[in-house]
Amino acid sequence: EAPATKADYLAVKKALEASLPDISHDDGSRGPVLLRLAWHSAGTWDPHSKTGGPHGATMRFVPEAITVDNAGLDIARDFLQPIKKQ
């Protein structure tokens, strides 16, 4: 697989920006839940074992995905999946 290019990143950015507004969310945007996902994902980093964190994407899997602290983050993960496939 070829490395990502600036054009690839710009396409993802454009897709995210176009998809953020959503009147079904309390503030009209998916932004807060995506920020929360990023925050919680980064918080899984374990400096001792050097595992977890956003690059490990471990929040997609049980048991992390179903912990009380991560409740509702499936909304953000599900939203990002089609953009990831692009």
Side-chain angles (χ1 to χ4, degrees), residues 1 3 6-7 14 18 22-24 29 37 47 49-50 53 69 76 78-79:
E1 185 173 317
K6 183 174 181 177
K14 186 175 180 179
D22 184 345
I23 59 170
S24 70
S29 172
L37 175 64
S49 66
K50 300 195 185 320
D69 294 336
D78 293 346
F79 162 72

Side-chain angles (χ1 to χ4, degrees), residues 30-74:
R30 291 181 173 109
V33 75
L34 293 173
L35 180 62
R36 184 169 165 249
L37 175 64
W39 180 263
H40 280 249
S41 181
T44 66
W45 173 249
D46 179 0
H48 301 293
S49 66
K50 300 195 185 320
T51 60
H55 295 296
T58 57
M59 289 186 61
R60 296 177 296 153
F61 309 113
V62 175
E64 284 184 60
I66 62 169
T67 66
V68 174
D69 294 336
N70 295 332
L73 293 177
D74 56 321

